[in-house]
Amino acid sequence: NAGVTQTPKFQVLKTGQSMTLQCAQDMNHEYMSWYRQDPGMGLRLIHYSVGAGITDQGEVPNGYNVSRSTTEDFPLRLLSAAPSQTSVYFCASSGSSGANVLTFGAGSRLTVL
Amino acid sequence: AQSVTQLDSQVPVFEEAPVELRCNYSSSVSVYLFWYVQYPNQGLQLLLKYLSGSTLVESINGFEAEFNKSQTSFHLRKPSVHISDTAEYFCAVTLTGNQFYFGTGTSLTVIP
């Protein structure tokens, strides 16, 4: 199994550009989420989804959109990138039952100039 | 909302020495507690978890953590560290399994 796959691994954007970070999991997990990791701030939850068609906001949702049309995919969209969105982004998933252990992707490093 | 405090941002320790990484959480209700480890340029991996039952939980590579409800702590310990333990360690808490709250991380550096 591939687990959680994130693309791209690296991306450089100019202020105002848009882009989508892709996340896919092949474990039939109901729960999927996006975090950003910044130095000295740990991981902060951006958006999450408890199933196809259901999304909700986390701690830092402003500037980001998500959708969940299938169980497998949970893309994160930046409509108008800002330098404050320079960060490392992680997608994570977990099953709806049991231990709620998160399985993380390898991360996507985004730089906004 | 829950919050997690990791008191030490950096912990240097000599190889084969013991180490303790501290984690305190704030919640008035029962929560699930986790320790994740992040090796350089990788995603986070589960190290160990406390869901219920025994307050002492162990990982396969010699780490252990003890849930202390009265002190709202979940400190991570290892009696003898190895060079390969050098990594960033994150404590996390969740109430429902939908929203996880992470600490700011502790960078463990094992010195040869």
Side-chain angles (χ1 to χ4, degrees):
Chain A
N1 285 341
V4 178
T5 303
Q6 290 182 235
T7 56
K9 291 189 183 300
F10 301 95
Q11 183 72 48
V12 178
L13 291 177
K14 294 181 179 179
T15 297
Q17 287 185 318
S18 63
M19 78 156 299
T20 300
L21 298 177
Q22 302 290 346
C23 176
Q25 53 90 10
D26 60 0
M27 298 171 285
N28 201 32
H29 282 171
E30 291 292 324
Y31 175 84
M32 297 186 73
S33 55
W34 277 103
Y35 290 85
R36 59 177 291 173
Q37 182 179 25
D38 302 292
M41 304 191 75
L43 278 78
R44 292 178 292 170
L45 180 64
I46 304 171
H47 285 284
Y48 67 95
S49 168
V50 298
I54 306 169
T55 64
D56 206 347
Q57 297 180 350
E59 298 174 76
V60 289
N62 293 339
Y64 307 95
N65 283 345
V66 293
S67 60
R68 185 93 180 271
S69 56
T70 67
T71 299
E72 295 78 19
D73 301 298
F74 191 46
L76 180 70
R77 297 183 184 85
L78 286 71
L79 297 180
S80 180
S84 61
Q85 295 177 303
T86 293
S87 187
V88 180
Y89 292 85
F90 287 98
C91 180
S93 71
S94 71
S96 59
S97 62
N100 297 319
V101 174
L102 292 173
T103 300
F104 283 84
S108 298
R109 183 175 295 274
L110 175 65
T111 300
V112 183
L113 303 176
Chain B
Q2 294 84 43
S3 68
V4 178
T5 302
Q6 291 184 245
L7 297 170
D8 307 299
S9 60
Q10 296 185 2
V11 174
V13 62
F14 286 103
E15 191 175 16
E16 298 184 2
V19 69
E20 178 180 80
L21 307 183
R22 295 178 292 171
C23 172
N24 288 88
Y25 67 94
S26 64
S27 177
S28 59
V29 297
S30 296
V31 295
Y32 303 127
L33 295 157
F34 304 82
W35 276 99
Y36 284 85
V37 58
Q38 183 181 32
Y39 299 104
N41 299 313
Q42 294 186 26
L44 279 73
Q45 307 170 30
L46 178 71
L47 188 60
L48 46 75
K49 63 190 179 191
Y50 171 77
L51 305 179
S52 64
S54 174
T55 58
L56 184 65
V57 291
E58 299 178 352
S59 71
I60 59 173
N61 57 353
F63 282 94
E64 64 179 29
E66 185 164 16
F67 168 58
N68 188 320
K69 187 174 183 179
S70 63
Q71 297 186 5
T72 60
S73 67
F74 192 54
H75 300 332
L76 181 70
R77 303 184 183 93
K78 189 170 185 179
S80 176
V81 295
H82 189 266
I83 294 290
S84 61
D85 294 324
T86 293
E88 188 92 14
Y89 292 80
F90 291 93
C91 183
V93 61
T94 184
L95 173 62
T96 64
N98 290 341
Q99 296 207 45
F100 286 75
Y101 295 88
F102 285 82
T104 52
T106 297
S107 177
L108 174 64
T109 301
V110 180
I111 305 164

Coordinates of all heavy atoms in Angstrom, one line a residue, chain A residues 31 35 37 40-43 45 48 50 57-59 90 94 98-102 104-107 109, chain B residues 32 34 36 38 41-46 49 51 88 90 94 96-105:
Chain A
Y31 N -11.5 9.6 7.6 CA -11.1 10.9 8.1 C -9.8 11.4 7.3 O -8.8 10.6 7.2 CB -10.8 10.9 9.6 CG -10.2 12.1 10.2 CD1 -11.0 13.1 10.6 CD2 -8.8 12.2 10.3 CE1 -10.5 14.3 11.1 CE2 -8.3 13.4 10.9 CZ -9.1 14.4 11.3 OH -8.6 15.6 11.8
Y35 N -2.6 19.8 7.6 CA -1.9 20.6 8.6 C -0.8 21.4 7.9 O -0.3 21.1 6.9 CB -1.2 19.7 9.6 CG -2.1 18.9 10.5 CD1 -2.7 17.7 10.2 CD2 -2.4 19.4 11.8 CE1 -3.5 17.1 11.0 CE2 -3.3 18.8 12.6 CZ -3.8 17.6 12.2 OH -4.7 16.9 13.1
Q37 N 3.0 23.1 9.0 CA 4.0 23.1 10.0 C 5.0 24.3 9.8 O 5.6 24.4 8.7 CB 4.9 21.8 9.9 CG 5.9 21.7 11.0 CD 6.7 20.4 10.9 OE1 6.8 19.7 9.8 NE2 7.3 19.9 12.0
G40 N 8.7 26.5 15.3 CA 8.3 27.0 16.6 C 6.8 27.0 16.9 O 6.4 27.4 17.9
M41 N 6.0 26.5 15.9 CA 4.6 26.5 16.1 C 4.0 25.1 15.9 O 2.7 25.0 16.0 CB 3.9 27.5 15.0 CG 4.5 28.9 15.1 SD 3.6 30.1 14.2 CE 2.1 30.3 15.2
G42 N 4.8 24.1 15.7 CA 4.2 22.8 15.6 C 3.4 22.6 14.4 O 3.5 23.3 13.4
L43 N 2.4 21.7 14.5 CA 1.4 21.5 13.4 C 0.1 22.1 13.8 O -0.4 22.0 14.9 CB 1.2 20.0 13.2 CG 2.3 19.3 12.3 CD1 3.5 19.0 13.1 CD2 1.7 18.0 11.8
L45 N -4.0 22.6 12.4 CA -5.0 22.0 11.6 C -5.6 23.1 10.7 O -6.1 24.1 11.2 CB -6.0 21.3 12.4 CG -7.2 20.6 11.7 CD1 -6.7 19.5 10.9 CD2 -8.2 20.1 12.7
Y48 N -10.4 19.7 7.8 CA -10.5 18.3 7.9 C -11.9 17.8 7.3 O -12.8 18.6 7.1 CB -10.4 17.8 9.3 CG -11.5 18.2 10.3 CD1 -12.5 17.3 10.6 CD2 -11.4 19.4 10.9 CE1 -13.5 17.7 11.4 CE2 -12.4 19.8 11.8 CZ -13.5 18.9 12.1 OH -14.4 19.3 13.0
V50 N -14.6 14.3 7.5 CA -14.9 13.0 8.2 C -15.6 12.0 7.2 O -16.0 10.9 7.6 CB -15.9 13.2 9.4 CG1 -15.2 14.1 10.5 CG2 -17.2 13.9 9.0
Q57 N -13.7 23.3 9.2 CA -12.5 24.2 9.4 C -11.8 23.7 10.7 O -12.4 23.3 11.6 CB -13.0 25.6 9.5 CG -13.6 26.2 8.3 CD -14.0 27.6 8.5 OE1 -14.0 28.2 9.6 NE2 -14.3 28.3 7.4
G58 N -10.5 23.9 10.6 CA -9.6 23.7 11.8 C -9.2 25.0 12.4 O -10.0 26.0 12.4
E59 N -8.0 25.0 12.9 CA -7.5 26.2 13.6 C -7.2 27.4 12.7 O -7.4 28.6 13.1 CB -6.2 25.9 14.4 CG -6.3 24.9 15.5 CD -5.0 24.5 16.0 OE1 -4.4 25.3 16.8 OE2 -4.4 23.5 15.6
F90 N 1.2 19.1 5.5 CA 1.0 17.7 5.6 C -0.4 17.3 5.5 O -1.3 17.9 6.1 CB 1.6 17.2 7.0 CG 3.1 17.2 7.1 CD1 3.7 18.3 7.7 CD2 3.8 16.2 6.5 CE1 5.1 18.3 7.7 CE2 5.2 16.2 6.6 CZ 5.9 17.3 7.2
S94 N -7.1 8.9 8.9 CA -7.3 7.9 9.9 C -8.6 7.2 9.6 O -9.5 7.8 9.0 CB -7.2 8.4 11.3 OG -8.3 9.2 11.6
G98 N -11.7 2.6 15.9 CA -10.4 2.2 16.5 C -9.6 3.3 17.1 O -10.1 4.1 17.8
A99 N -8.3 3.3 16.9 CA -7.4 4.1 17.6 C -7.2 5.5 17.2 O -6.5 6.3 17.8 CB -6.0 3.4 17.6
N100 N -7.8 5.9 16.1 CA -7.7 7.3 15.6 C -6.3 7.7 15.3 O -5.9 8.8 15.5 CB -8.4 8.3 16.5 CG -9.9 8.1 16.6 OD1 -10.5 7.8 15.7 ND2 -10.4 8.1 17.9
V101 N -5.4 6.8 15.0 CA -4.1 7.1 14.7 C -4.0 7.7 13.3 O -4.5 7.2 12.3 CB -3.2 5.8 14.7 CG1 -1.8 6.1 14.3 CG2 -3.2 5.2 16.1
L102 N -3.3 8.8 13.3 CA -3.1 9.5 12.0 C -1.9 8.9 11.2 O -0.9 8.7 11.8 CB -2.8 11.0 12.2 CG -3.9 11.9 12.8 CD1 -3.4 13.3 13.2 CD2 -5.1 12.0 11.9
F104 N 0.4 10.0 8.1 CA 0.8 11.3 7.5 C 1.5 11.0 6.1 O 2.1 10.0 5.9 CB 1.9 12.0 8.3 CG 1.3 12.8 9.5 CD1 1.0 12.1 10.7 CD2 0.9 14.1 9.3 CE1 0.4 12.8 11.7 CE2 0.4 14.8 10.4 CZ 0.1 14.2 11.6
G105 N 1.3 11.9 5.2 CA 2.0 12.0 4.0 C 3.4 12.5 4.2 O 3.8 12.9 5.3
A106 N 4.3 12.5 3.2 CA 5.6 13.0 3.3 C 5.8 14.5 3.4 O 6.9 15.0 3.7 CB 6.5 12.4 2.2
G107 N 4.8 15.2 3.0 CA 4.8 16.7 3.1 C 5.0 17.4 1.8 O 5.6 16.8 0.8
R109 N 6.5 21.1 0.5 CA 7.1 22.4 0.9 C 6.7 23.5 -0.1 O 7.0 23.4 -1.3 CB 8.6 22.2 1.0 CG 9.3 23.5 1.5 CD 10.8 23.3 1.7 NE 11.1 22.3 2.7 CZ 11.2 22.6 4.0 NH1 11.1 23.8 4.4 NH2 11.5 21.6 4.9
Chain B
Y32 N -7.5 11.5 24.2 CA -6.5 10.5 23.7 C -5.2 11.2 23.5 O -5.2 12.3 23.1 CB -7.0 9.9 22.4 CG -8.4 9.2 22.5 CD1 -9.4 9.6 21.6 CD2 -8.7 8.2 23.4 CE1 -10.6 9.0 21.6 CE2 -9.9 7.6 23.5 CZ -10.9 8.0 22.6 OH -12.1 7.4 22.6
F34 N -1.0 11.1 22.3 CA -0.1 10.5 21.3 C 1.3 11.2 21.4 O 1.4 12.3 21.7 CB -0.6 10.7 19.9 CG -2.0 10.1 19.6 CD1 -3.1 10.9 20.0 CD2 -2.2 8.9 19.1 CE1 -4.4 10.4 19.8 CE2 -3.5 8.4 18.9 CZ -4.6 9.1 19.2
Y36 N 4.3 11.5 18.4 CA 4.7 11.3 17.0 C 6.2 11.7 16.9 O 6.6 12.6 17.6 CB 3.9 12.1 16.0 CG 2.5 11.5 15.8 CD1 1.4 11.9 16.6 CD2 2.2 10.7 14.7 CE1 0.2 11.3 16.4 CE2 1.0 10.2 14.5 CZ -0.1 10.5 15.3 OH -1.3 10.0 15.1
Q38 N 9.2 12.7 14.0 CA 9.5 13.2 12.7 C 11.0 13.2 12.4 O 11.7 14.0 13.0 CB 8.9 14.6 12.4 CG 9.1 15.1 11.0 CD 8.5 16.5 10.8 OE1 8.6 17.3 11.7 NE2 8.0 16.8 9.6
N41 N 13.2 15.7 7.0 CA 12.6 15.6 5.6 C 11.5 14.5 5.5 O 11.4 14.0 4.3 CB 13.6 15.5 4.6 CG 14.6 16.7 4.6 OD1 14.2 17.9 4.7 ND2 15.9 16.5 4.6
Q42 N 10.9 14.1 6.5 CA 9.9 13.1 6.5 C 8.6 13.6 7.1 O 8.6 14.6 7.8 CB 10.4 11.8 7.1 CG 11.5 11.1 6.4 CD 11.9 9.8 7.0 OE1 11.0 9.1 7.6 NE2 13.1 9.4 6.9
G43 N 7.5 12.8 6.9 CA 6.3 13.1 7.6 C 6.4 12.5 9.1 O 7.4 11.9 9.5
L44 N 5.3 12.7 9.8 CA 5.3 12.2 11.2 C 4.9 10.8 11.2 O 4.0 10.3 10.4 CB 4.3 13.1 12.0 CG 4.8 14.4 12.5 CD1 4.8 15.4 11.4 CD2 3.8 14.9 13.6
Q45 N 5.4 10.1 12.2 CA 5.1 8.7 12.4 C 4.7 8.5 13.8 O 5.2 9.1 14.7 CB 6.3 7.8 12.1 CG 7.0 7.9 10.8 CD 8.3 7.2 10.7 OE1 8.5 6.1 11.4 NE2 9.2 7.7 10.0
L46 N 3.7 7.6 14.1 CA 3.3 7.4 15.4 C 4.3 6.7 16.2 O 4.9 5.7 15.7 CB 2.0 6.5 15.4 CG 1.5 6.1 16.8 CD1 0.9 7.3 17.5 CD2 0.4 5.0 16.7
K49 N 0.8 5.7 21.9 CA -0.5 6.3 22.1 C -1.1 5.8 23.4 O -0.8 4.7 23.9 CB -1.5 5.9 21.0 CG -1.8 4.4 20.9 CD -2.5 4.0 19.6 CE -2.7 2.5 19.6 NZ -3.2 2.0 18.3
L51 N -4.9 5.5 24.9 CA -6.3 5.6 24.7 C -7.1 5.3 26.0 O -8.1 6.0 26.3 CB -6.8 4.6 23.6 CG -6.0 4.7 22.3 CD1 -6.5 3.7 21.3 CD2 -6.1 6.1 21.7
E88 N 12.6 15.1 15.6 CA 11.7 16.0 16.3 C 10.5 15.2 16.8 O 10.0 14.3 16.2 CB 11.2 17.0 15.2 CG 10.3 18.1 15.8 CD 11.1 19.4 16.1 OE1 12.3 19.4 15.7 OE2 10.6 20.2 16.8
F90 N 6.7 15.1 18.7 CA 5.5 15.9 18.9 C 4.5 15.2 19.8 O 4.2 14.0 19.5 CB 4.8 16.2 17.5 CG 5.6 17.2 16.7 CD1 6.5 16.7 15.7 CD2 5.5 18.5 16.8 CE1 7.2 17.5 14.9 CE2 6.2 19.4 16.0 CZ 7.0 18.9 15.0
T94 N -6.3 14.5 21.3 CA -7.6 14.7 20.6 C -8.7 14.2 21.6 O -8.5 13.3 22.4 CB -7.6 13.9 19.3 OG1 -8.9 14.1 18.7 CG2 -7.5 12.4 19.5
T96 N -12.1 13.9 20.2 CA -13.1 13.2 19.3 C -12.4 12.4 18.2 O -13.1 11.6 17.6 CB -14.0 14.3 18.7 OG1 -13.2 15.1 17.8 CG2 -14.7 15.1 19.7
G97 N -11.1 12.6 17.9 CA -10.5 12.0 16.8 C -10.7 12.8 15.5 O -10.1 12.4 14.5
N98 N -11.4 13.9 15.6 CA -11.5 14.8 14.4 C -10.6 15.9 14.4 O -10.1 16.4 13.4 CB -13.0 15.3 14.3 CG -14.0 14.2 14.0 OD1 -13.6 13.2 13.5 ND2 -15.2 14.5 14.3
Q99 N -10.3 16.5 15.6 CA -9.4 17.6 15.7 C -8.3 17.2 16.6 O -8.5 17.0 17.8 CB -10.1 18.8 16.2 CG -11.2 19.4 15.2 CD -11.4 20.8 15.4 OE1 -10.4 21.6 15.4 NE2 -12.6 21.3 15.4
F100 N -7.1 17.2 16.1 CA -5.9 16.9 16.8 C -5.1 18.2 17.1 O -5.0 19.0 16.3 CB -4.9 15.9 16.1 CG -5.4 14.5 16.0 CD1 -6.4 14.1 15.2 CD2 -4.8 13.5 16.8 CE1 -6.9 12.8 15.1 CE2 -5.3 12.2 16.7 CZ -6.3 11.8 15.9
Y101 N -4.7 18.3 18.4 CA -3.9 19.5 18.7 C -2.5 19.0 19.0 O -2.3 18.1 19.9 CB -4.5 20.2 19.9 CG -5.9 20.7 19.6 CD1 -7.0 20.0 19.8 CD2 -6.0 22.0 19.2 CE1 -8.3 20.5 19.5 CE2 -7.3 22.6 18.9 CZ -8.4 21.8 19.0 OH -9.6 22.3 18.7
F102 N -1.5 19.6 18.4 CA -0.1 19.3 18.5 C 0.6 20.3 19.3 O 0.3 21.5 19.3 CB 0.5 19.1 17.1 CG 0.2 17.9 16.4 CD1 -1.0 17.9 15.7 CD2 1.0 16.8 16.4 CE1 -1.4 16.7 15.0 CE2 0.6 15.6 15.7 CZ -0.5 15.6 15.0
G103 N 1.6 19.8 20.0 CA 2.6 20.7 20.7 C 3.5 21.3 19.7 O 3.5 20.9 18.5
T104 N 4.4 22.2 20.1 CA 5.3 22.9 19.2 C 6.5 22.0 18.9 O 7.4 22.4 18.1 CB 5.8 24.2 19.8 OG1 6.3 24.0 21.1 CG2 4.6 25.2 19.9
G105 N 6.7 20.9 19.5 CA 7.7 20.0 19.2 C 9.0 20.1 20.0 O 9.3 21.2 20.5

